[in-house]
Amino acid sequence: MRISFKTFLIVLFVVNVSFSQNEDNVLLTVDGTPIDTSEFLRVYNKNLDLVKDENQKDIDGYLKLFIDYQLKLNEAKRLKLDEDPKYQREFLSYKKQLTRNYLSENKVTDALVKEAYERSKLDIKASHILVRIEESSKDTLEAFNKLLALKERVQSEGFENVKADVHDGKTIFLEDLGYFSAFKMVYDFESVAFKTAVGEMSDPFRTQFGYHVVKVEDKRPSRGTITAAHIMVGLNQKDSLVDPEKRINDIYKRLQQGEDFESLAKQFSDDKSSAKNGGKLTAFKSGQLSSVIFEDKAFSLKEDGQVTMPFKSEYGWHIVKRLDLTEIESFENLKPEIESRVKRDTRSKLINTAMVEQLKKRYDITYNDSAIPHFETIISNQFFSRSWKLPEELDKDEMLFKINDKVYTYYDFGRHLMAAQRQYAGKVTSINNVVEKEFNAFFDKTILNYRKENLELENTDFANILKEYRDGLLLFELMEREIWNKASKDSLGLENYYNSNRSKYQWPDRVDVVMASTADKFKAKQVLKMMKKGLSEEKINTTLNTEAEQNVIFTKGAFNISDSRLPNNLELKLGLSGIYEHNDAYHVIDVKSVLPAGQKSLEEARGSVINDFQTEIEDNWMEDLRDRMEVEINEEALRALKAKINKQ
């Protein structure tokens, strides 16, 4: 109940008060706080379709509601509820969540999400050549030429021959990557692979790992996501007398004899991580497992419940059972998940880059051209052993760059460089490269953070939503403290209210029944016979209901005689009735007792009494607020407002 009311307050009756300095547009002043005509109109139009009460759609009626809301907000601030740590934590948590939705470059994000979905429909089989170099290295000609030479050798000598000759797993890699799809590789590598035709080798390209050439060997439609279970007998057995192949075949025979797969997995599988779950594995796609043959065997199963014959992988002998296969879902269903992955993936750099470029055009930015050369002179080789410190003579307040009116200093960048040392520990690169790269990283981080800090000033929609939530949450805290808690915890006040209003809390005529309902008249006759014989509900349920069909449902309790669940012509006499036809079903009713109208006790009426008591407390409280706070209405502005709304 509280949660629903909280949502109601925050979503329906929240208002956003942005104050205008133009006094001609002030509609009213609440306890000294001016409120614009335009602000009232925005809130009125926003909530118009949500308001059920026609009186509240009337300007004068809605204005009273609006004023009451402002009185409550002023009272909450007077009580300093907005300074409460619990309130601030909840508000800041919401603000952080909302901010993320407004900081992305939407066009780039949408394009990347659609691209990732289309790519997820395909599996690519590829191999690659990689010559490793440091990401920060700029002297790359030697690595590039080495890669070109290896590409030519592979084209003339064959991949496996060259691999056997040069692959060292340190600086030169020639690897068969198997099948993969979207998000499996870093984005730059993935993009080249998807753009390269089957049977072709790409041109050299660079990622954070070095220079690559990728050869695409196959592209096929995605096989979907499979959930499977397996029984594995490892190749290396502690018991030398155990023959893995014979053992897996013995297990397979027991499966063929009708024994349960899950039980056999728990008893015999050497994959202990899955054995305890009956052999069940985490759902996987092509390319996610390190064993191609295992994936191929699993995806070859055509139906849920089907099992493979025993087969051998790099790890042992297996029997695989298909539990479920999910084809790729629609874009609409997968969009939220893909968007989340895009923002966590290396693709996010493209989103941030696009946003930075937008912000550069939007903001007034001034650079200090002397900054980078200066930092190149003060960084020493100690930087690469994480022992460099900012020189004491550094002019900490010197401007590095300025975004609009906010200045970022040498000291700000110096702290960034201090923290960045750990990334360069033991690496070999030039100081010039370090300063240039870290300046760009610091600038991008700073301008994005500036955008975040000023989002409420720059984006009206964001500011409105945030203000609505802020005020709605504040109102909830106020109502909980001043009304709801007082009504539910004031036992003496609640009892006094009940005693003063006893006549409001009366039971109507009621009947206590056990009712069996079925859509089948023949089943109703069977129920009647069974109930006459004194059979229990459990026995009747067991007899007439099956796992596949629910033929009879029992309902019991005390009902008002006018309850729509009871037949209109129900005879108010004790014992079993005949069969009643009501609400497109047949009912057999056993009347246990007839309960005449009478007074409800406080416990029986507690929910209604608390609600009514809350209303009385709130009415008195609102009268007090109206007496304590002054409200002034600009009648001329109100007339103009009504004229404008009548023209809408």
Side-chain angles (χ1 to χ4, degrees):
M1 187 100 174
R2 264 182 53 188
I3 294 174
S4 299
F5 193 43
K6 181 177 181 180
T7 304
F8 175 77
L9 285 170
I10 293 174
V11 175
L12 178 57
F13 286 108
V14 294
V15 291
N16 171 35
V17 182
S18 328
F19 303 123
S20 169
Q21 299 305 311
N22 184 346
E23 294 183 0
D24 292 338
N25 291 329
V26 172
L27 175 64
L28 69 153
T29 303
V30 179
D31 204 33
T33 302
I35 301 171
D36 286 355
T37 298
S38 58
E39 176 56 28
F40 175 85
L41 185 61
R42 185 188 69 79
V43 175
Y44 175 81
N45 286 332
K46 177 179 179 180
N47 291 325
L48 191 60
D49 292 338
L50 300 176
V51 174
K52 303 298 183 185
D53 188 342
E54 290 298 324
N55 291 330
Q56 293 174 6
K57 294 184 179 181
D58 170 70
I59 293 296
D60 292 325
Y62 193 83
L63 184 60
K64 290 179 182 178
L65 183 71
F66 185 82
I67 290 171
D68 283 352
Y69 188 86
Q70 298 302 319
L71 291 171
K72 292 175 185 177
L73 283 179
N74 281 10
E75 177 68 0
K77 291 170 184 175
R78 185 187 72 81
L79 295 171
K80 297 185 178 181
L81 297 184
D82 52 338
E83 298 177 14
D84 181 79
K86 175 176 170 288
Y87 165 82
Q88 291 182 344
R89 281 195 303 272
E90 187 166 351
F91 172 70
L92 289 175
S93 174
Y94 175 80
K95 181 180 180 181
K96 185 177 180 180
Q97 179 183 349
L98 181 66
T99 299
R100 285 198 295 265
N101 298 333
Y102 281 83
L103 289 180
S104 294
E105 207 296 323
N106 291 331
K107 290 183 180 179
V108 175
T109 304
D110 290 345
L112 289 170
V113 170
K114 289 176 183 175
E115 178 188 70
Y117 176 74
E118 292 302 320
R119 288 180 179 180
S120 68
K121 294 179 180 179
L122 287 177
D123 294 332
I124 291 182
K125 187 174 189 296
S127 56
H128 81 131
I129 308 168
L130 166 64
V131 177
R132 286 293 305 267
I133 52 173
E134 292 293 335
E135 186 179 5
S136 58
S137 177
K138 291 194 173 183
D139 185 11
T140 63
L141 183 59
E142 181 182 352
F144 182 81
N145 288 334
K146 186 180 291 185
L147 183 71
L148 283 178
L150 289 171
K151 177 182 177 182
E152 291 178 5
R153 284 190 61 186
V154 167
Q155 288 173 324
S156 60
E157 301 173 32
F159 185 85
E160 292 300 329
N161 291 331
V162 179
K163 177 180 179 180
D165 184 33
V166 302
H167 174 84
D168 61 15
K170 296 178 181 178
T171 59
I172 298 177
F173 295 77
L174 280 81
E175 297 173 306
D176 181 359
L177 302 172
Y179 282 96
F180 59 89
S181 189
F183 298 109
K184 180 68 175 177
M185 306 295 178
V186 295
Y187 180 66
D188 292 340
F189 188 97
E190 175 194 302
S191 292
V192 174
F194 272 91
K195 292 172 184 176
T196 301
V198 174
E200 298 292 327
M201 292 185 76
S202 72
D203 292 329
F205 62 96
R206 188 174 175 181
T207 72
Q208 68 226 54
F209 303 108
Y211 277 109
H212 305 256
V213 168
V214 61
K215 181 179 180 181
V216 174
E217 298 165 14
D218 186 30
K219 292 182 181 181
R220 69 185 182 198
S222 171
R223 298 194 286 190
T225 301
I226 192 170
T227 303
H230 80 135
I231 301 170
M232 184 184 88
V233 178
L235 296 177
N236 300 315
Q237 294 288 325
K238 293 180 181 179
D239 185 349
S240 59
L241 298 178
V242 173
D243 179 344
E245 184 176 5
K246 182 178 185 307
R247 188 173 184 84
I248 198 73
N249 281 310
D250 289 344
I251 295 170
Y252 184 70
K253 286 178 184 176
R254 292 179 64 168
L255 273 174
Q256 297 296 97
Q257 291 164 196
E259 292 193 42
D260 181 63
F261 187 98
E262 184 176 321
S263 299
L264 291 171
K266 289 178 179 178
Q267 185 176 357
F268 295 112
S269 181
D270 289 335
D271 179 7
K272 299 304 179 188
S273 61
S274 67
K276 59 186 178 184
N277 297 318
K280 186 177 179 180
L281 300 165
T282 301
F284 58 89
K285 301 177 182 178
S286 290
Q288 286 192 298
L289 301 186
S290 55
S291 175
V292 174
I293 187 171
F294 189 98
E295 284 186 353
D296 288 344
K297 289 290 187 181
F299 279 106
S300 71
L301 297 170
K302 301 303 180 186
E303 297 177 358
D304 294 347
Q306 188 178 357
V307 299
T308 65
M309 293 181 65
F311 66 91
K312 187 179 181 182
S313 77
E314 305 90 323
Y315 306 100
W317 285 87
H318 310 263
I319 304 168
V320 175
K321 178 179 181 179
R322 175 173 137 174
L323 302 179
D324 179 64
L325 180 68
T326 304
E327 303 291 343
I328 187 164
E329 296 183 57
S330 68
F331 176 72
E332 288 70 24
N333 289 344
L334 289 179
K335 184 179 178 181
E337 177 189 343
I338 295 176
E339 185 170 331
S340 176
R341 295 188 70 180
V342 161
K343 290 178 179 178
R344 298 195 310 268
D345 187 60
T346 50
R347 291 164 170 81
S348 62
K349 293 181 180 179
L350 296 178
I351 300 172
N352 287 342
T353 298
M355 177 56 74
V356 167
E357 291 305 313
Q358 273 195 17
L359 297 179
K360 284 180 179 179
K361 298 173 184 176
R362 183 185 307 173
Y363 299 144
D364 181 16
I365 302 172
T366 305
Y367 298 94
N368 181 348
D369 295 334
S370 302
I372 290 180
H374 178 70
F375 275 92
E376 289 174 347
T377 65
I378 65 173
I379 294 182
S380 67
N381 286 330
Q382 290 177 312
F383 189 87
F384 303 104
S385 60
R386 299 183 63 180
S387 57
W388 177 77
K389 295 182 179 180
L390 283 174
E392 292 184 5
E393 64 272 15
L394 178 72
D395 187 353
K396 295 181 178 180
D397 295 328
E398 179 72 15
M399 185 189 81
L400 182 75
F401 54 77
K402 183 167 70 169
I403 302 176
N404 290 341
D405 294 327
K406 185 163 184 180
V407 174
Y408 298 88
T409 66
Y410 277 18
Y411 182 63
D412 296 327
F413 184 46
R415 289 195 305 165
H416 171 85
L417 287 170
M418 289 283 290
Q421 286 184 86
R422 63 180 180 273
Q423 302 173 27
Y424 294 89
K427 295 184 178 180
V428 179
T429 186
S430 72
I431 289 173
N432 291 0
N433 287 346
V434 170
V435 175
E436 181 182 350
K437 178 184 175 183
E438 293 308 320
F439 178 84
N440 290 334
F442 178 72
F443 178 84
D444 289 356
K445 177 182 176 182
T446 301
I447 199 170
L448 290 171
N449 193 54
Y450 181 90
R451 157 80 165 154
K452 184 189 298 184
E453 291 173 350
N454 291 275
L455 188 59
E456 196 169 351
L457 299 174
E458 295 179 13
N459 190 302
T460 302
D461 182 43
F462 174 82
N464 288 339
I465 294 173
L466 195 62
K467 186 65 163 61
E468 288 174 0
Y469 189 86
R470 178 190 286 118
D471 290 350
L473 184 60
L474 192 59
L475 179 59
F476 177 82
E477 298 295 333
L478 177 71
M479 297 296 287
E480 184 175 54
R481 169 176 161 165
E482 297 296 318
I483 307 299
W484 305 328
N485 285 347
K486 287 183 178 179
S488 59
K489 295 179 180 179
D490 183 2
S491 301
L492 182 59
L494 192 67
E495 186 174 353
N496 290 336
Y497 181 85
Y498 166 76
N499 289 330
S500 300
N501 297 274
R502 292 171 63 90
S503 60
K504 292 170 60 177
Y505 309 110
Q506 301 288 323
W507 285 117
D509 289 333
R510 292 172 297 151
V511 60
D512 187 11
V513 302
V514 173
M515 178 168 61
S517 304
T518 176
D520 187 326
K521 191 171 184 178
F522 177 71
K523 291 284 192 306
K525 291 179 179 178
Q526 289 181 290
V527 171
L528 182 57
K529 289 180 181 178
M530 293 178 180
M531 290 178 75
K532 284 181 177 179
K533 291 180 180 179
L535 298 183
S536 67
E537 294 171 34
E538 183 179 357
K539 179 63 177 176
I540 297 172
N541 274 322
T542 303
T543 304
L544 298 181
N545 295 325
T546 67
E547 192 171 327
E549 292 185 341
Q550 184 73 37
N551 293 309
V552 178
I553 294 177
F554 278 91
T555 306
K556 55 186 177 180
F559 297 87
N560 296 345
I561 59 172
S562 59
D563 193 298
S564 62
R565 288 169 291 182
L566 297 178
N568 296 328
N569 58 339
L570 175 64
E571 292 187 51
L572 300 180
K573 64 179 184 179
L574 300 181
L576 273 169
S577 66
I579 297 174
Y580 292 92
E581 187 174 354
H582 178 62
N583 289 339
D584 299 321
Y586 299 94
H587 311 275
V588 178
I589 300 176
D590 185 3
V591 177
K592 298 297 185 182
S593 62
V594 177
L595 307 171
Q599 178 69 47
K600 289 184 180 180
S601 69
L602 175 57
E603 283 307 310
E604 290 171 328
R606 178 170 290 274
S608 299
V609 176
I610 288 176
N611 284 335
D612 294 342
F613 188 36
Q614 283 178 352
T615 300
E616 181 177 89
I617 293 174
E618 184 173 1
D619 288 344
N620 294 334
W621 177 63
M622 285 304 305
E623 284 302 317
D624 177 62
L625 294 183
R626 294 185 189 108
D627 289 340
R628 284 195 286 112
M629 299 185 196
E630 185 177 356
V631 177
E632 296 179 5
I633 298 176
N634 183 339
E635 295 295 341
E636 185 178 345
L638 181 58
R639 285 194 295 272
L641 173 66
K642 290 179 178 179
K644 184 172 184 177
I645 288 178
N646 289 334
K647 291 179 181 179
Q648 289 186 161

